[in-house]
Amino acid sequence: GAKNIIHKIKEMLEKTEERLYVMAPKEILDFFVEELQSLVKKSKKVVILSDNFNIPKAIYHKTVVPKNQIRLITDSSYVLTGELSNSEHDRCLYSGQQNLVDVMKEALKNKIELLQRDK
């Protein structure tokens, strides 16, 4: 459920060594403001794709994100994807399998390229 997912995301953010890519609506990212700000302060690369969430010194791409959906990649090594609506029925997939990480990286890269073209 949501409690375990939030715990896992916070753990992933704490262990981020170099970079973070995250795509989620503001309502989800608000849960992790302190952790995201901490990463930026530690000079980690933070890339945010969201509808209306930005923190200073992070790379921000404004986009429409499906409600309750989250995509997160840390250090090109771990991925978490799924739904977070703050209920016990929430489900996410967490993996360190390189194939899945590569697929998610490619999807986010393509999304960023499309957003930059539309500017």
Side-chain angles (χ1 to χ4, degrees), residues 102-115:
D102 290 344
V103 167
M104 185 65 67
K105 279 174 46 180
E106 190 66 29
L108 286 180
K109 177 182 161 190
N110 290 340
K111 179 79 170 172
I112 291 169
E113 286 176 3
L114 289 172
L115 291 170

Side-chain angles (χ1 to χ4, degrees), residues 12 76-80 93-102:
M12 289 175 73
S76 298
S77 299
Y78 301 98
V79 65
L80 182 137
L93 171 67
Y94 167 79
S95 179
Q97 184 180 34
Q98 197 59 50
N99 289 342
L100 182 58
V101 173
D102 290 344

Side-chain angles (χ1 to χ4, degrees), residues 12-20 39 44 74-75:
M12 289 175 73
L13 295 175
E14 288 171 12
K15 292 181 177 181
T16 299
E17 295 179 9
E18 295 178 25
R19 62 186 139 314
L20 164 75
L39 287 172
K44 310 298 182 193
T74 58
D75 296 326

Side-chain angles (χ1 to χ4, degrees), residues 5-34:
I5 294 168
I6 290 169
H7 175 76
K8 187 62 175 179
I9 292 170
K10 287 187 177 206
E11 179 184 306
M12 289 175 73
L13 295 175
E14 288 171 12
K15 292 181 177 181
T16 299
E17 295 179 9
E18 295 178 25
R19 62 186 139 314
L20 164 75
Y21 289 82
V22 61
M23 184 169 80
K26 181 183 186 319
E27 296 78 30
I28 291 177
L29 294 174
D30 282 340
F31 283 110
F32 309 104
V33 171
E34 290 178 19

